[in-house]
Amino acid sequence: MKKLKILSIIVFCVMLFGGAVITAVLPKKAYSDLENRNLEQKPQLTKEQFLQGKYQEKYEAYLSDQFFLRDRWVDLAVTLQKQMGKRDINNVYLGKEGYLLEKDDENEYDKEQVEENVKTLSSFLNDMCEMFGEKQVSCLMIPSKTLALSKYLPAYSQVSEHTEVLDALQKSLSHPERMIYLKDAMQSHQNEYIYYRTDHHWTTLGAYYAYKEWAEKSGQAAAKPIAEYTQETVFDDFYGTTYNKVHVNVPKDQVTLFKNASQEAVHVNMDDGDVEADTLYFPKEAKEGFNRYNVFLSKNTFQIEITTKAKTGKTLLLIKDSFANCFVPFLTENYDRIILIDYRYGKLPIGQILDKYEDITDVLVMFNTEKFMQNTKLAGLANAEKKKQTLEEFNPDDFLE
């Protein structure tokens, strides 16, 4: 037994120091597709950084990120934890049928921030109802994948429903019926492929069911039967952001588009001409990185303007997060123009946006519940008063992320 322990220590030391030597001579990676982040690079040694201990911290992070076969070591560690019977790793449940479901702990939210977000959003929705009429305004709240697919959770798992937050939001509305919570609609379809196994987003099928529910309950649009869409699978090799946290061996996801004629005559303008295209789908851009979900509108950004040939005489203002990206194609037959605003990436006051697009007839707010609670950048929604901005009042910071 003593010899075995000594041998284990020797093997560990050889692996540790051998890996460090190999790491030092191998080319360095700048980005990890698996983790969707930039990797630490070798820090520059300075006297000041060394004496303050910052150099040592940065070098340790650099060595960890660049360690020889790092992804394989991570995979091995996860495999060992799984074999030991663990059913959650790095705050991700290893669900049934290969589903990876992120934990959602209510204690991790900043209560003051959540209260501020509820106040800001309810005030905005009330202003919009007064400005456009309540029947032209709606708020779609999306449950977490973990709640929507609760049947796939391991035994004894805990699920947060955030009932208090949603109730507070609805009670703050002058027309509470304009808030639509999708929990029941999503759970009623959880036997179907409505969320990606390895990502937190819903699939296009899930987005369709959400669109149908919204159209029926809000009355702002009419949804076509699913049979009227042509389905095209563009990727079958998608490993999403949830997978990047655990690296377990689960089936790859498929990304499918639901197409009809209304999507063929569109023009997309991102951030006032930064990107322009005559399509809603960007397979080339999605294939260049790991995130196949980027096939929908190519990226998250502050402002996107979509023009269509629907000829309905209606323009929609859509306040959104990334869940809307694969929802938007269904709207192209209902609106001549769709203005998408994501306040995580900009802070131009909503009043100025309303002033710019005077043809807006409808308003839709669409948020994933957890992302809404975590959002620290909704201040732009606080003042819906239209106001022409003079040169003296112009603030270039409004256009910065």
Side-chain angles (χ1 to χ4, degrees):
M1 183 63 68
K2 184 177 180 181
K3 290 182 179 180
L4 182 60
K5 289 182 178 179
I6 294 173
L7 180 60
S8 299
I9 293 172
I10 292 173
V11 170
F12 174 77
C13 290
V14 169
M15 291 171 60
L16 178 63
F17 292 106
V21 171
I22 296 173
T23 298
V25 299
L26 285 178
K28 303 304 178 283
K29 294 174 62 177
Y31 187 82
S32 170
D33 283 336
L34 279 175
E35 297 175 79
N36 188 28
R37 69 179 180 88
N38 294 319
L39 298 176
E40 289 287 341
Q41 302 301 302
K42 188 175 181 179
Q44 184 177 0
L45 177 61
T46 65
K47 181 180 179 181
E48 182 180 1
Q49 292 273 317
F50 184 82
L51 292 176
Q52 292 177 351
K54 294 181 179 180
Y55 173 80
Q56 294 89 324
E57 292 178 4
K58 291 180 179 180
Y59 194 88
E60 183 179 356
Y62 152 75
L63 190 59
S64 174
D65 274 6
Q66 301 292 343
F67 197 82
F68 177 59
L69 295 179
R70 178 180 184 275
D71 291 340
R72 298 292 177 267
W73 294 115
V74 172
D75 290 345
L76 177 60
V78 170
T79 300
L80 290 174
Q81 292 182 68
K82 188 176 179 181
Q83 290 180 348
M84 291 170 62
K86 290 201 67 174
R87 289 293 173 262
D88 62 274
I89 299 172
N90 292 340
N91 290 320
V92 174
Y93 289 118
L94 307 184
K96 302 170 186 175
E97 298 183 24
Y99 276 94
L100 304 178
L101 305 150
E102 297 184 33
K103 284 186 174 182
D104 181 25
D105 188 349
E106 291 190 2
N107 296 321
E108 294 184 359
Y109 293 93
D110 184 331
K111 292 185 178 181
E112 291 185 3
Q113 183 67 61
V114 173
E115 291 174 0
E116 182 65 27
N117 289 354
V118 168
K119 180 180 178 181
T120 299
L121 180 55
S122 60
S123 177
F124 169 74
L125 289 168
N126 290 338
D127 287 343
M128 294 301 97
C129 285
E130 186 175 342
M131 190 175 297
F132 298 102
E134 69 272 15
K135 292 185 179 180
Q136 310 311 126
V137 179
S138 57
C139 175
L140 203 57
M141 298 302 292
I142 305 165
S144 68
K145 170 184 167 182
T146 304
L147 180 58
L149 302 184
S150 55
K151 65 169 286 185
Y152 295 101
L153 285 167
Y156 311 112
S157 303
Q158 295 182 344
V159 184
S160 298
E161 297 199 27
H162 305 300
T163 305
E164 291 183 5
V165 174
L166 294 167
D167 286 348
L169 175 60
Q170 192 161 38
K171 289 177 181 177
S172 300
L173 300 179
S174 56
H175 299 278
E177 75 281 1
R178 303 311 294 174
M179 191 188 99
I180 303 167
Y181 185 35
L182 291 174
K183 172 193 166 186
D184 291 341
M186 292 292 101
Q187 286 189 339
S188 68
H189 291 284
Q190 61 181 313
N191 288 328
E192 302 173 60
Y193 187 44
I194 59 172
Y195 282 81
Y196 297 111
R197 289 183 179 84
T198 67
D199 196 72
H200 63 287
H201 289 108
W202 52 23
T203 63
T204 316
L205 179 61
Y208 171 78
Y209 287 134
Y211 168 68
K212 186 178 178 182
E213 182 81 358
W214 167 77
E216 291 174 355
K217 290 193 173 180
S218 74
Q220 289 176 263
K224 286 186 175 182
I226 195 171
E228 295 192 22
Y229 293 92
T230 301
Q231 299 186 30
E232 177 189 352
T233 298
V234 289
F235 295 114
D236 59 6
D237 61 349
F238 180 30
Y239 281 122
T241 54
T242 313
Y243 172 82
N244 295 336
K245 296 181 179 180
V246 292
H247 298 186
V248 295
N249 185 20
V250 294
K252 298 176 183 178
D253 277 305
Q254 293 184 337
V255 180
T256 301
L257 313 181
F258 283 31
K259 293 184 174 181
N260 65 14
S262 68
Q263 301 171 22
E264 296 176 359
V266 300
H267 182 73
V268 176
N269 184 331
M270 300 186 186
D271 295 324
D272 292 324
D274 182 52
V275 175
E276 293 195 58
D278 293 324
T279 180
L280 300 167
Y281 305 116
F282 297 79
K284 180 181 178 181
E285 288 79 357
K287 196 171 183 178
E288 288 175 352
F290 90 96
N291 194 352
R292 302 295 188 250
Y293 187 75
N294 282 345
V295 69
F296 303 103
L297 298 177
S298 81
K299 63 179 180 179
N300 289 313
T301 191
F302 174 58
Q303 181 176 325
I304 301 176
E305 178 182 339
I306 300 172
T307 54
T308 77
K309 293 186 178 180
K311 296 181 179 179
T312 60
K314 299 168 64 177
T315 295
L316 176 70
L317 171 64
L318 174 53
I319 308 299
K320 61 174 279 289
D321 60 24
S322 58
F323 275 74
N325 293 5
C326 70
F327 183 98
V328 165
F330 297 111
L331 298 170
T332 55
E333 58 191 310
N334 305 123
Y335 296 97
D336 296 347
R337 182 152 61 164
I338 307 168
I339 313 301
L340 286 64
I341 302 295
D342 190 334
Y343 270 108
R344 295 173 300 170
Y345 302 96
K347 51 186 178 181
L348 185 68
I350 194 64
Q352 293 181 33
I353 293 171
L354 293 169
D355 191 66
K356 177 180 179 181
Y357 297 103
E358 295 183 348
D359 60 334
I360 290 173
T361 58
D362 290 63
V363 178
L364 168 61
V365 174
M366 181 187 300
F367 284 134
N368 169 267
T369 304
E370 297 105 314
K371 301 303 181 186
F372 163 68
M373 294 169 64
Q374 294 168 349
N375 202 320
T376 60
K377 299 182 178 181
L378 290 180
L381 284 177
N383 186 0
E385 181 182 356
K386 293 184 179 182
K387 182 180 179 182
K388 292 288 186 181
Q389 194 174 38
T390 66
L391 184 61
E392 290 77 12
E393 294 172 320
F394 175 78
N395 181 2
D397 288 340
D398 288 341
F399 295 90
L400 300 177
E401 295 185 6

